[in-house]
């Protein structure tokens, strides 16, 4: 365990699906959620357990579906073949067990690509998976669905951000004294780790290129700030700042000095502003070879970590919250929770928390000495 973890224990949820998974239970209906993103293809299979679900199977593969989309406006043949291989694998996993319901979604790459609908029609014919292209608003709602338990430890408002491969979603949220979080406003920026990496020709570890990325994203964020005055709310206090993405979980892994990435150690961690800034600075000094060799990054993600850090740096500079709650959960978990709620006869309720396998945050990680 790293030095930072010994100095500052984390503050996380006390009961979770990880605990529930080890308890013998009567057979429950099984649900599955598939998220085909610009960079990743992810599958999660679970069964209801308590107020959440227990994970039965999961899958994640980097497919880079949006590679080249910024230049051509189309999904490339190589990108589609990579995604098809992953989707065939997902279909095979689902065929091994009786599944009550499957929700499968696609996000920014298929929203933007001229041939996105054509590709998803091919997916349905070859794999049997019917994938819906969701709106950016539903992306924000699903992220809030899965992350809302991490927002229960106080505050009046929350800013949730999800840095994806092709877009970045931000949700401005009201936290009532009782009941579920409520979405006040949201914005989807057409920049993610893949699109930003492709738009800027220089290497992201070059300071001038990195700062150009930060400035580009900050310019896109200012209209959202002018509408909601989030900076003023942060200065008044009572605003929770929550990030869910590979970028933010990587920063947490670096801040914790993890010998390899650990979801239980990262999900629900609370980083101080200084700790997050220090982790970002450390990532920027590694260079591509160092990023590829780092156990919390790896060769497949080495080209996309610093563009993600640039997006994070722009968000963090415009809205300087004193702490960041880190969430290793997102659209798949939100979809499963909605499916389970529908099974229980309550019907899906967009942008509401409630059922979750995860507990709240527990502890603030300070900057390394």
């Amino acid at each position: 365990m790293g030095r930072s973890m010994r100095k500052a224990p984390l503050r996380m949820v006390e009961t979770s699906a990880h605990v529930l998974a080890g308890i013998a239970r009567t057979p429950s209906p099984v649900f599955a959620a598939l998220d085909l993103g610009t960079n990743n293809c992810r599958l999660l299979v679970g069964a209801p357990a308590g107020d959440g679900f227990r994970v039965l199977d999961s899958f994640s593969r980097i497919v880079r579906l949006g590679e080249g989309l910024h230049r051509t406006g189309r999904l490339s043949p190589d990108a589609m073949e990579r995604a098809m291989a992953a989707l065939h694998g997902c279909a095979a996993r689902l065929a091994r067990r009786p599944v009550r319901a499957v929700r499968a979604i696609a996000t920014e790459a298929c929203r933007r690509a001229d041939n996105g609908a054509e590709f998803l029609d091919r997916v349905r014919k070859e794999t049997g998976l019917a994938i819906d292209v969701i709106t950016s608003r539903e992306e924000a709602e699903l992220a809030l669905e899965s992350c809302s338990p991490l927002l229960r430890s106080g505050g009046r408002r929350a800013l949730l951000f999800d840095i994806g491969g092709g877009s970045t979603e931000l949700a401005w949220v009201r936290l009532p004294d009782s009941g579920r979080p409520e979405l006040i406003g949201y914005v989807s920026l057409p920049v993610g780790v893949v699109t930003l990496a492709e738009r800027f020709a220089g290497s992201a570890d070059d300071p001038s290129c990195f700062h150009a990325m930060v400035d580009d994203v900050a310019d896109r964020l200012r209209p959202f700030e002018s509408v909601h005055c989030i900076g003023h709310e942060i200065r008044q206090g009572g605003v929770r700042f929550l990030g869910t993405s590979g970028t933010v979980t990587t920063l947490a892994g670096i801040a914790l000095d993890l010998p390899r990435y650990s979801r239980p150690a990262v999900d629900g961690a609370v980083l101080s502003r200084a700790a997050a800034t220090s982790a970002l600075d450390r990532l920027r000094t590694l260079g591509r070879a160092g990023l590829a060799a780092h156990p919390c990054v790896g060769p497949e993600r080495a080209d996309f970590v610093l563009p993600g850090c640039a997006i994070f740096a722009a968000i963090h500079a415009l809205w300087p919250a004193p702490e960041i709650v880190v969430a290793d959960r997102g659209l798949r978990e939100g979809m499963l929770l909605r499916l389970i709620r529908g099974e229980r006869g309550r019907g899906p309720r967009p942008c509401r928390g409630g059922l979750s396998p995860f507990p709240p945050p527990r502890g603030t990680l300070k900057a390394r000495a």
Side-chain angles (χ1 to χ4, degrees), residues 68-129:
L69 176 61
H70 171 72
R71 297 188 305 274
T72 67
R74 296 179 61 83
L75 304 177
S76 73
D78 287 346
M80 288 189 287
E81 290 307 316
R82 288 192 298 265
M84 284 299 307
L87 291 167
H88 276 293
C90 291
R93 285 170 177 261
L94 291 174
R96 295 179 195 140
R97 66 177 79 243
V99 177
R100 176 73 58 86
V102 178
R103 178 84 197 280
I105 64 166
T107 54
E108 184 70 5
C110 289
R111 277 199 297 262
R112 291 180 53 199
D114 294 338
N115 58 342
E118 177 186 335
F119 170 66
L120 295 181
D121 185 56
R122 176 192 166 194
V123 170
R124 181 184 58 79
K125 291 175 180 176
E126 292 190 18
T127 70
L129 294 168

Side-chain angles (χ1 to χ4, degrees), residues 56-178:
L56 302 177
D57 193 11
S58 65
F59 170 88
S60 179
R61 180 176 297 172
I62 293 176
V63 296
R64 306 193 312 280
L65 180 60
E67 184 177 60
L69 176 61
H70 171 72
R71 297 188 305 274
T72 67
R74 296 179 61 83
L75 304 177
S76 73
D78 287 346
M80 288 189 287
E81 290 307 316
R82 288 192 298 265
M84 284 299 307
L87 291 167
H88 276 293
C90 291
R93 285 170 177 261
L94 291 174
R96 295 179 195 140
R97 66 177 79 243
V99 177
R100 176 73 58 86
V102 178
R103 178 84 197 280
I105 64 166
T107 54
E108 184 70 5
C110 289
R111 277 199 297 262
R112 291 180 53 199
D114 294 338
N115 58 342
E118 177 186 335
F119 170 66
L120 295 181
D121 185 56
R122 176 192 166 194
V123 170
R124 181 184 58 79
K125 291 175 180 176
E126 292 190 18
T127 70
L129 294 168
I131 302 179
D132 298 323
V133 180
I134 64 169
T135 66
S136 55
R137 180 186 178 93
E138 187 172 0
E139 273 198 77
E141 290 175 345
L142 287 170
L144 180 57
E145 186 89 47
S146 63
C147 294
S148 61
L150 299 177
L151 299 173
R152 291 175 184 161
S153 55
R156 299 175 296 104
R157 300 281 188 273
L159 180 64
L160 184 153
F161 61 94
D162 182 359
I163 302 170
S167 64
T168 295
E169 276 65 47
L170 295 99
W172 181 229
V173 179
R174 178 181 294 109
L175 301 178
D177 292 334
S178 60

Side-chain angles (χ1 to χ4, degrees), residues 301-317:
R301 298 180 57 235
D303 292 329
F304 305 120
V305 168
L306 292 185
C309 286
I311 297 171
F312 173 80
I315 294 170
H316 212 200

Side-chain angles (χ1 to χ4, degrees), residues 70-71 190-220 303-304 306-308 310-311 314:
H70 171 72
R71 297 188 305 274
V191 288
V193 299
V194 175
T195 52
L196 204 60
E198 292 186 354
R199 282 184 50 228
F200 286 83
S203 174
D205 57 7
D206 176 86
S208 62
C209 180
F210 184 84
H211 291 302
M213 291 181 177
V214 174
D215 291 343
D216 179 87
V217 176
D219 288 342
R220 298 172 186 272
D303 292 329
F304 305 120
L306 292 185
I311 297 171

